[in-house]
Amino acid sequence: MGRIGTRAAAACVGALVALVALVALTACGGGAGSTGSTGATGTTQPDAALAVALQFPPRAAYAFDADDGARLMTLGVAETLTTVDDRVQPAPMLATGWEQTADPRTWRFTLREGVTFHDGTPLTADAVVTALSHVAGVTSPPRAIRGIGFRIAADGPGAVLITTAEPDPVVPLRMSSGNLGILAPSAYAAGGQPTVLRTATGPYVLDAVNGTDSAVLVRNDSYWGERAGAATVTVRYVTDPQSRALALQSGDVQFAEGLPGASLDQLRSAGADVVEYPAARTVELLLNQSAPPFADIRVRQAVTAAIDRPVLASQVLGGAAAPASDLFGAAVPWGATSPPSGADVERAKALLAEAGHGPADPLTVRLWTFPNRPEMPVLATAIQSMLGRAGITVDVQVGDYAAREPEILAGRYDMFLNSRSYLSDYADATSTLTSDYTCGGSYNIDQYCSPAYDALIDRLPGITDPAQRQALFAEAARMLTDEVVGVMVVHPLNTAATNGATGFVADPLSAKPVLPGLTRTG
Amino acid sequence: MSALLRRLAPLPFVLLAASVLVFALPRLTGVDVPRAVLRARTADAVPDPEVQARVAAEFGLNDSAVVQYLRWLGAALRGDLGFSFVTRQPVAEVVGDGLAVSGVLTVLALGLAASIGVPAGVYAASRPGGLLDRGLSAAGIVGVSVPEFVLAPWLVLVLAVGLGVVPAVGWGGPQHVVLPVLTLAAYPGALAAQLVRAETVEVLGRDHVRLARAKGLSPGRVLWRHGARLATTSVTSLSAMVVAGLLGGSVVVEVVFGIPGLGRGLYDAVLAQDLPVIQAATLAVVVVAVSAGAVVEVLALVLDPVARNREESR
């Protein structure tokens, strides 16, 4: 028996040794990331390579009509005619100036001189016309130019004319959409989807793409603007938030975004610089106003009073969100920043009693939400508990959004907890304010209809001044709050961290390049 | 060879039945496909009805389900799996790339599981009730019961963050294979050890083994030639099921380690109602599962003389 044991044990040990050897060999030969946590301190190394872990892989092989243009812009690869400044107003990018012509339907954009594409060809008016005509002609054009009768023509070698069917005050802002990036004419030569490799103008050249797994960027040394911070960047798309955090902690990558709240302290203690900043998104408890009980504003007010939004943000979500007092949050200049008050259960009970719902006729409602965003079921359960204290019995149902959407849009629901970005693909709230809250809105889940609100929104097409538009956005949001059109629950926070790199600048609107500012430290 | 061909003969009928199911099921969920596809391509919660109509026409979704199915089947028989609704890339390329990645993971994970699980099970059976047997049994229970979403982060913490010997995420080099393979191998390895141990203990008590001992065969020869060899037939059968599971069902591991495998691709396709990818990926898993089952049955014949005699007498 002793020989048996020896041989079998030898086999086991051999297998284990092989495993350990595999680990050791691959670790040595593969050049795995080091474990040193340098944090963001130390000297900068502008010629070093950088590795980053990003949250969202390309949806459709970097197609501009699939929101992937915005990713290329974030990477610092593709550029648009305009960008936005800190006041969320249009600012120069590939166009240095713009003006509305005598025909109010037409805007003239003057192009920046001395810009070359990554393939070496110059930026010309014809190139811009080719690029934007292509993206306007696809099956599903980007939202920024969809349905506005977009046309473009060259106006000499250094300018383009953009015309819309009706006078449009926000054309310069529309041109800041990342999905309207300008590629070289060679990108469109083959027909079909444009080639994004080495055809853009940004501080980084997209050198290699490996599906939704990774991409490689190299610095564009002939860039017209500020030089990018790294010689090369390996972009890894990691959809699992915890994996991104662990990759940053292990030193595999020097920058990661979209990190789970539970890992932030651990990352800080490992030497990472962690940044939390507002996102242009609201978690809203939508209330069906087309039927009882939420047709009665007193019931809606009671629900609002019963929900403790500061507690939801700070305790239930562990600080991963800010309590919402308005549709718009701190991500935009017109957003409300003062926190809402906490719960007032007695007031909620009084309002319910006034509406005829007391112990003799308790209120029972259904609350639907979806699991794709992990915070949604958690929030739904907490809201259920909070409403329960006010005497409202809530039946929480979690299910696939797409399957339930027809019923929700048809008004066959009581309460629906939704998470929604309040900007479309450029920094203007008209689209959300129209589709979600006007009487004929295509996404008016609350079934809210107010002629006064519609009249307010109808004024937007005539307002060119960005500051005036923003004031009107704020006024519309206040009207929604006053009429208790749903309960604005929380505004989620974005997170990002560097570990061995520096130069990250938070951009709540996701409208500016992120990677070019990052530089390795050591 | 004839045994293998006989077992592969039903494959076309299985595939045909599977193709009907795979085609019908997504359409029975009631999800608006053009709307879901547009949402997968953009962050637009409110797709334009005109655009939805154009997408439906472009993908032929306005035709009856029967016409759609026959059109898809005809193209598939000609080797044309079409284009992804979402990425507009050729489906054969999308599924092929995912299958290659998951195939590498599956083969390595099964190889590792067998190379550790089988010897561990045999050794435990040689001394039932001994210290090592009890230790291996405990390890086996842990391996079978710890889910991948717990084991994977734990391995990352220890080997990537703590020791720094392998990367935490990514795909591309041999160093990226280690953690996902360890994670995927844990369950089949532990299960194989348990199965082999139980079967070997049972086989060692049979008459022919006692006879072999009486004839003076060495204990090691008795154990491996007469005990373990028969016991491994059950493990071989198990591996057929595990192959299909690992190929299409390694979603957790592929998400945690950022691996562009078939499981993650199929999961994303289901969320996006990317029907051509769902159909092709599912059928690929069916083909592999049926083929693996047939190969495993033939292997079992090689390993088990009794079954081989039964097969030959047919």
Side-chain angles (χ1 to χ4, degrees):
Chain A
M1 208 54 163
R3 286 175 60 197
I4 309 166
T6 306
R7 286 184 185 178
C12 281
V13 170
L16 287 171
V17 167
L19 171 64
V20 172
L22 174 68
V23 171
L25 276 173
T26 52
C28 297
S34 77
T35 55
S37 295
T38 57
T41 55
T43 54
T44 57
Q45 300 177 331
D47 290 324
L50 194 70
V52 302
L54 301 187
Q55 187 172 4
F56 299 111
R59 292 170 186 261
Y62 299 98
F64 279 84
D65 58 326
D67 282 355
D68 284 350
R71 280 164 181 72
L72 289 173
M73 187 267 296
T74 304
L75 299 180
V77 170
E79 295 182 311
T80 47
L81 288 181
T82 64
T83 183
V84 291
D85 62 17
D86 292 340
R87 294 173 301 148
V88 194
Q89 296 187 6
M93 183 57 92
L94 291 180
T96 53
W98 46 87
E99 59 186 349
Q100 210 162 8
T101 64
D103 176 358
R105 296 174 305 159
T106 301
W107 288 77
R108 184 176 190 274
F109 289 79
T110 305
L111 302 180
R112 187 179 294 278
E113 293 179 0
V115 177
T116 54
F117 291 105
H118 297 158
D119 66 359
T121 57
L123 175 78
T124 63
D126 287 339
V128 174
V129 170
T130 300
L132 293 184
S133 296
H134 171 85
V135 80
V138 298
T139 303
S140 175
R143 297 181 293 286
I145 56 170
R146 189 187 304 158
I148 61 170
F150 177 88
R151 282 181 291 133
I152 183 168
D155 186 26
V160 292
L161 295 172
I162 291 177
T163 304
T164 53
E166 301 293 334
D168 189 322
V170 289
V171 167
L173 207 51
R174 290 179 189 275
M175 292 303 111
S176 70
S177 162
N179 294 316
L180 300 179
I182 310 296
L183 301 179
S186 62
Y188 308 94
Q193 188 162 313
T195 308
V196 292
L197 289 175
R198 296 176 285 279
T199 55
T201 58
Y204 279 121
V205 180
L206 185 62
D207 194 51
V209 167
N210 184 17
T212 57
D213 175 46
S214 60
V216 177
L217 316 178
V218 297
R219 183 160 52 208
N220 175 11
D221 287 323
S222 57
Y223 182 56
W224 60 267
E226 196 173 336
R227 196 167 179 255
T232 63
V233 183
T234 300
V235 179
R236 292 207 176 280
Y237 297 107
V238 183
T239 54
D240 181 51
Q242 188 61 41
S243 298
R244 290 193 294 276
L246 290 170
L248 187 77
Q249 198 178 338
S250 69
D252 277 5
V253 299
Q254 292 78 50
F255 170 78
E257 61 177 11
L259 300 161
S263 70
L264 298 185
D265 286 341
Q266 194 180 348
L267 286 170
R268 287 189 182 102
S269 64
D273 277 351
V274 179
V275 180
E276 294 177 85
Y277 56 101
R281 176 172 287 278
T282 304
V283 174
E284 181 182 2
L285 183 64
L286 301 155
L287 306 172
N288 181 6
Q289 298 186 24
S290 68
F294 297 118
D296 187 335
I297 191 171
R298 293 168 299 185
V299 180
R300 303 202 300 270
Q301 288 169 333
V303 168
T304 307
I307 295 176
D308 199 326
R309 289 170 276 180
V311 166
L312 289 176
S314 64
Q315 294 179 26
V316 176
L317 296 183
S325 55
D326 204 335
L327 171 61
F328 304 116
V332 290
W334 62 87
T337 51
S338 56
S341 54
D344 185 346
V345 177
E346 293 311 314
R347 179 166 180 265
K349 286 179 177 173
L351 283 163
L352 285 172
E354 197 181 314
H357 298 288
D361 181 20
L363 190 57
T364 300
V365 292
R366 287 170 303 161
L367 193 168
W368 281 2
T369 193
F370 49 88
N372 306 48
R373 291 180 175 273
E375 72 272 20
M376 303 301 280
V378 177
L379 282 171
T381 308
I383 289 170
Q384 178 188 40
S385 169
M386 289 173 175
L387 294 181
R389 276 184 232 133
I392 303 174
T393 303
V394 178
D395 174 20
V396 174
Q397 298 177 356
V398 181
D400 177 54
Y401 172 79
R404 288 188 165 169
E405 187 187 46
E407 283 196 61
I408 290 168
L409 284 175
R412 292 192 291 272
Y413 79 103
D414 295 328
M415 299 197 296
F416 173 53
L417 191 66
N418 196 14
S419 178
R420 178 104 158 99
S421 168
Y422 49 73
L423 300 178
S424 58
D425 58 354
Y426 62 103
D428 189 270
T430 307
S431 173
T432 301
L433 290 172
T434 304
S435 65
D436 290 26
Y437 303 105
T438 58
C439 295
S442 57
Y443 201 63
N444 186 350
I445 295 176
D446 289 292
Q447 309 285 317
Y448 167 68
C449 184
S450 161
Y453 176 85
D454 283 11
L456 188 69
I457 300 303
D458 284 345
R459 286 167 49 198
L460 277 169
I463 300 176
T464 310
D465 178 48
Q468 283 184 31
R469 292 180 69 81
Q470 294 178 6
L472 200 143
F473 297 154
E475 188 181 343
R478 276 195 299 275
M479 187 180 282
L480 295 173
T481 303
D482 291 345
E483 298 188 22
V484 201
V485 183
V487 183
M488 308 304 165
V489 180
V490 293
H491 300 298
L493 297 178
N494 281 332
T495 51
T498 52
N499 188 9
T502 187
F504 172 70
V505 178
D507 174 23
L509 303 176
S510 302
K512 296 174 187 170
V514 173
L515 300 192
L518 296 172
T519 305
R520 189 88 183 252
T521 57
Chain B
M1 183 58 81
S2 62
L4 180 63
L5 289 176
R6 195 159 52 242
R7 280 162 176 79
L8 284 175
L11 182 60
F13 304 102
V14 173
L15 276 181
L16 192 65
S19 75
V20 173
L21 276 177
V22 167
F23 185 87
L25 285 178
R27 287 165 173 79
L28 295 175
T29 59
V31 173
D32 186 333
V33 175
R35 202 171 173 89
V37 168
L38 284 169
R39 282 210 177 108
R41 281 179 66 80
T42 72
D44 192 1
V46 197
D48 187 335
E50 283 183 22
V51 175
Q52 283 189 67
R54 283 203 294 272
V55 167
E58 184 182 342
F59 296 152
L61 295 169
N62 295 326
D63 297 329
S64 72
V66 175
V67 170
Q68 288 182 55
Y69 175 73
L70 292 176
R71 187 170 54 224
W72 171 78
L73 186 65
L77 289 173
R78 294 192 303 274
D80 176 12
L81 294 174
F83 287 81
S84 158
F85 283 176
V86 175
T87 67
R88 312 289 165 94
Q89 291 177 304
V91 170
E93 188 182 297
V94 173
V95 174
D97 290 349
L99 199 60
V101 171
S102 295
V104 168
L105 286 180
T106 301
V107 169
L108 290 177
L110 277 181
L112 183 63
S115 62
I116 292 178
V118 172
V122 171
Y123 183 73
S126 70
R127 292 181 178 178
L131 191 62
L132 199 56
D133 180 29
R134 281 180 286 171
L136 287 171
S137 295
I141 290 169
V142 172
V144 167
S145 54
V146 173
E148 289 169 346
F149 62 83
V150 172
L151 182 60
W154 185 82
L155 286 173
V156 172
L157 273 174
V158 174
L159 294 176
V161 177
L163 299 175
V165 293
V166 284
V169 295
W171 184 255
Q175 71 274 21
H176 293 116
V177 170
V178 177
L179 291 182
V181 165
L182 286 176
T183 309
L184 290 172
Y187 176 79
L191 200 57
Q194 290 181 336
L195 268 176
V196 168
R197 186 224 174 254
E199 294 264 336
T200 307
V201 166
E202 191 269 327
V203 170
L204 289 178
R206 287 187 190 172
D207 290 344
H208 75 278
V209 176
R210 279 203 289 272
L211 179 64
R213 282 195 186 116
K215 286 168 69 177
L217 259 66
S218 71
R221 198 170 168 82
V222 169
L223 179 67
W224 286 99
R225 187 174 174 81
H226 296 282
R229 184 174 166 180
L230 278 179
T232 50
T233 54
S234 57
V235 176
T236 312
S237 305
L238 173 76
S239 63
M241 286 186 290
V242 174
V243 164
L246 288 180
L247 265 182
S250 305
V251 181
V252 172
V253 169
E254 290 173 2
V255 167
V256 167
F257 294 110
I259 297 169
L262 188 67
R264 198 178 93 185
L266 185 54
Y267 175 74
D268 291 341
V270 168
L271 288 184
Q273 289 292 302
D274 197 344
L275 300 179
V277 175
I278 296 172
Q279 288 159 189
T282 311
L283 286 182
V285 174
V286 171
V287 169
V288 172
V290 174
S291 305
V295 170
V296 159
E297 281 190 43
V298 173
L299 274 178
L301 293 179
V302 173
L303 291 168
D304 186 350
V306 177
R308 191 165 58 239
N309 289 338
R310 202 183 307 132
E311 175 76 14
E312 284 168 357
S313 65
R314 279 186 179 182

